[in-house]
Amino acid sequence: MRQMPLNITLRNEASFDSFVAEAESLAMVLYQLQMAIIRQQGGAWYFYGPEGAGKTHLLQAACRFAQQWERRCVYLDLEDEEVRNFPDLLKGLEEMEVLCLDAVDAVLSESSWQDRLGQVLLQAQTLGHMVLLSGQQPMGDWPLQSEVLADALATVVPVSVMPLLERESIMLAVQRHGQVRGLQLPKSVISYLIRVFSEDLEAVLLALQRIEQVSLIEKRRITLPFVKRVLSHQEPVV
Amino acid sequence: MRQMPLNITLRNEASFDSFVAEAESLAMVLYQLQMAIIRQQGGAWYFYGPEGAGKTHLLQAACRFAQQWERRCVYLDLEDEEVRNFPDLLKGLEEMEVLCLDAVDAVLSESSWQDRLGQVLLQAQTLGHMVLLSGQQPMGDWPLQSEVLADALATVVPVSVMPLLERESIMLAVQRHGQVRGLQLPKSVISYLIRVFSEDLEAVLLALQRIEQVSLIEKRRITLPFVKRVLSHQEPVV
């Protein structure tokens, strides 16, 4: 058996600085979250929304932020098979000052997981620690079987996260992601990427990763002609 | 006569990433501002508040952001004598897609300046350009003599900016400033700086500048003992 993936590397660009919140309410929650980490206030939040809304980014950003403030922190992806098969993994994790559990949907059908989740939430609350959960379903739609979990959920604040809708928000998000990686992306490149990938932020960021790699290997600046060449190699024009 | 200071260097750390908005309303205005720059929407805003609230930071952040989006942009400090004595300097500046005029209080007592301000605002509006003003007095308290300016002000959105009140917001701001400069500041250093300088953000950032310089010269990491030594040299213990 491989070592438990407790020390998953956080994505480089997963920071609050590169996250764009279109909704005012979400922007405020993120500010409060950072304050709560600095203040060591504790609390529990559930970020829910469709794929591509940025939930993983948020949880990893919180984890990175917590690390910067020297808080004990763990990020776990419950979709990961090595995690999913071991509900006992959660045992003791309430000791973490910030505990981030991504993709809870993956385990909600199992009552052993539900109990564990409920326990860790209640224990974290007692210790004044913070738990961040994410998933696609609203809490009201969870297949609740565990009474412990049902009790624990009373203290969890649900926060809806939606994919960016406005083209300009997506442009801003791409720019911020570039910035966090130390890339200065010309406006023309950002526009081009968004046009090519039909405003799908995840696809754009993936393309950006490829572009960055090639630019590092070839030691080239990221210009529009460069980007067009890189992308046409990856996706040949038919 | 020296060259006109039209190309004032923007402060390195003056970016939206290092600005902390405690007030929800301000956070939203800043988001809208960035969207407006990306969209080339135009509009006029007046940021007002006491010294140390971060008005210069905001205007410079907007200018930097506009540059990143390849917009024509100028930042002018109207308190600067070489600017203050030449209202004609504003002539033609409506051509800038983003025009940032800091510390308007310094020139409001002169009717020639009031006329020029009014003209540039109206012209920028016609061209769909953006003007950002800052000052200490609410617009209602301006000694309005110029009818042009009075007319132009109707389209200017006033935005109140206050110094950070909460200790944690100040800590966050110091951390962000460090981050933008590429410094990883230990929590202990941030706490210490804020304690020593009585939570005065400007004083803290000034101290941070000195600390950064010494750390660069001496090639030392920024630790708490290092910071204590640097500061005690600057301000000897009596």
Side-chain angles (χ1 to χ4, degrees):
Chain A
M1 197 174 75
R2 282 203 284 146
Q3 210 201 329
M4 282 302 154
L6 275 178
N7 287 311
I8 289 174
T9 325
L10 300 174
R11 291 190 213 155
N12 269 333
E13 69 280 12
S15 93
F16 285 121
D17 290 338
S18 56
F19 193 85
V20 172
E22 232 166 30
E24 187 163 356
S25 52
L26 180 57
M28 279 325 286
V29 166
L30 298 188
Y31 173 72
Q32 285 156 0
L33 207 64
Q34 293 172 69
M35 287 301 106
I37 291 173
I38 298 180
R39 281 183 192 130
Q40 305 192 263
Q41 245 173 1
W45 284 264
Y46 175 55
F47 295 95
Y48 68 100
E51 242 192 299
K55 303 187 299 293
T56 297
H57 182 148
L58 275 186
L59 262 58
Q60 293 206 350
C63 207
R64 173 181 300 277
F65 189 81
Q67 285 176 348
Q68 286 169 340
W69 287 93
E70 295 159 37
R71 313 287 181 235
R72 291 188 304 279
C73 172
V74 151
Y75 166 89
L76 275 185
D77 179 4
L78 304 189
E79 248 165 1
D80 187 320
E81 269 196 34
E82 296 197 58
V83 176
R84 208 165 42 182
N85 295 333
F86 300 95
D88 278 356
L89 213 58
L90 286 195
K91 251 190 195 165
L93 284 193
E94 69 277 358
E95 291 292 335
M96 293 293 134
E97 286 156 310
V98 181
L99 175 59
C100 300
L101 301 176
D102 206 358
V104 290
D105 309 271
V107 299
L108 281 180
S109 58
E110 291 173 47
S111 62
S112 56
W113 262 104
Q114 290 206 4
D115 285 339
R116 275 273 172 253
L117 270 179
Q119 281 157 8
V120 88
L121 276 166
L122 291 173
Q123 286 157 351
Q125 199 191 11
T126 312
L127 295 166
H129 291 166
M130 187 185 280
V131 182
L132 303 181
L133 308 170
S134 89
Q136 296 194 24
Q137 302 169 276
M139 278 199 289
D141 295 352
W142 284 14
L144 268 185
Q145 300 149 354
S146 155
E147 224 167 289
V148 193
L149 183 56
D151 285 352
L153 286 190
T155 62
V156 178
V157 182
V159 183
S160 155
V161 191
M162 297 301 287
L164 295 179
L165 275 174
E166 296 187 54
R167 186 160 192 277
E168 289 80 13
S169 306
I170 299 172
M171 292 183 83
L172 182 59
V174 174
Q175 189 207 14
R176 291 262 164 92
H177 274 79
Q179 238 167 43
V180 166
R181 292 158 170 227
L183 309 173
Q184 276 285 1
L185 299 176
K187 192 185 64 169
S188 56
V189 166
I190 298 177
S191 298
Y192 178 76
L193 288 175
I194 291 174
R195 207 164 61 238
V196 169
F197 295 99
S198 327
E199 316 206 353
D200 174 346
L201 183 57
E202 284 206 298
V204 173
L205 296 178
L206 222 58
L208 195 58
Q209 228 161 25
R210 291 203 303 265
I211 291 162
E212 187 188 8
Q213 285 164 353
V214 180
S215 105
L216 283 172
I217 293 168
E218 301 191 0
K219 294 197 175 63
R220 297 259 189 147
R221 274 197 317 129
I222 299 175
T223 60
L224 188 55
F226 172 79
V227 167
K228 284 184 176 173
R229 179 170 66 76
V230 172
L231 293 182
S232 70
H233 281 199
Q234 302 276 345
E235 303 181 337
V237 184
V238 183
Chain B
M1 197 174 75
R2 282 204 285 146
Q3 212 202 328
M4 283 302 155
L6 276 177
N7 286 310
I8 289 173
T9 325
L10 301 173
R11 291 190 211 154
N12 269 334
E13 70 280 13
S15 93
F16 285 121
D17 290 339
S18 56
F19 193 86
V20 173
E22 232 165 30
E24 187 164 353
S25 52
L26 181 56
M28 280 323 286
V29 167
L30 298 189
Y31 173 71
Q32 285 155 0
L33 206 62
Q34 292 171 70
M35 287 300 107
I37 291 173
I38 298 180
R39 282 183 192 131
Q40 305 192 267
Q41 245 174 1
W45 285 265
Y46 175 56
F47 294 96
Y48 67 98
E51 243 192 298
K55 304 186 298 294
T56 297
H57 182 147
L58 275 186
L59 261 57
Q60 293 206 350
C63 207
R64 174 181 301 277
F65 188 81
Q67 284 175 349
Q68 287 169 339
W69 287 92
E70 296 160 37
R71 312 289 179 231
R72 291 187 306 279
C73 172
V74 151
Y75 165 88
L76 274 185
D77 179 4
L78 303 191
E79 247 165 3
D80 187 320
E81 268 197 34
E82 296 197 58
V83 176
R84 206 164 44 183
N85 295 332
F86 299 95
D88 278 356
L89 213 58
L90 288 195
K91 251 189 195 167
L93 284 192
E94 70 277 359
E95 291 293 335
M96 293 293 133
E97 285 156 310
V98 181
L99 175 58
C100 300
L101 301 176
D102 205 358
V104 290
D105 309 89
V107 299
L108 282 180
S109 57
E110 289 173 48
S111 61
S112 56
W113 261 105
Q114 292 206 1
D115 285 338
R116 275 274 173 252
L117 270 179
Q119 281 156 8
V120 90
L121 276 166
L122 292 173
Q123 286 156 351
Q125 198 193 11
T126 311
L127 294 166
H129 291 166
M130 186 186 279
V131 182
L132 304 180
L133 307 170
S134 89
Q136 298 196 21
Q137 300 169 278
M139 277 198 290
D141 294 352
W142 283 12
L144 268 186
Q145 299 150 354
S146 154
E147 224 166 287
V148 193
L149 183 55
D151 284 352
L153 287 190
T155 62
V156 178
V157 181
V159 183
S160 156
V161 190
M162 296 302 286
L164 296 178
L165 275 174
E166 297 187 55
R167 187 160 190 279
E168 289 80 12
S169 306
I170 298 173
M171 292 183 84
L172 181 60
V174 174
Q175 189 208 14
R176 292 262 165 94
H177 274 78
Q179 239 166 41
V180 166
R181 291 159 171 227
L183 309 172
Q184 277 285 4
L185 299 176
K187 191 183 66 172
S188 56
V189 166
I190 297 178
S191 297
Y192 178 76
L193 287 174
I194 290 175
R195 206 164 60 239
V196 168
F197 294 99
S198 329
E199 314 207 354
D200 174 346
L201 181 57
E202 283 207 296
V204 173
L205 297 179
L206 222 59
L208 194 59
Q209 227 162 25
R210 290 204 303 264
I211 291 162
E212 187 188 8
Q213 284 164 354
V214 180
S215 105
L216 283 173
I217 293 168
E218 301 190 0
K219 294 197 174 63
R220 298 262 189 140
R221 275 198 317 128
I222 300 177
T223 61
L224 188 55
F226 171 78
V227 167
K228 284 184 176 171
R229 180 170 66 74
V230 171
L231 292 181
S232 69
H233 280 201
Q234 302 274 348
E235 303 182 338
V237 185
V238 184

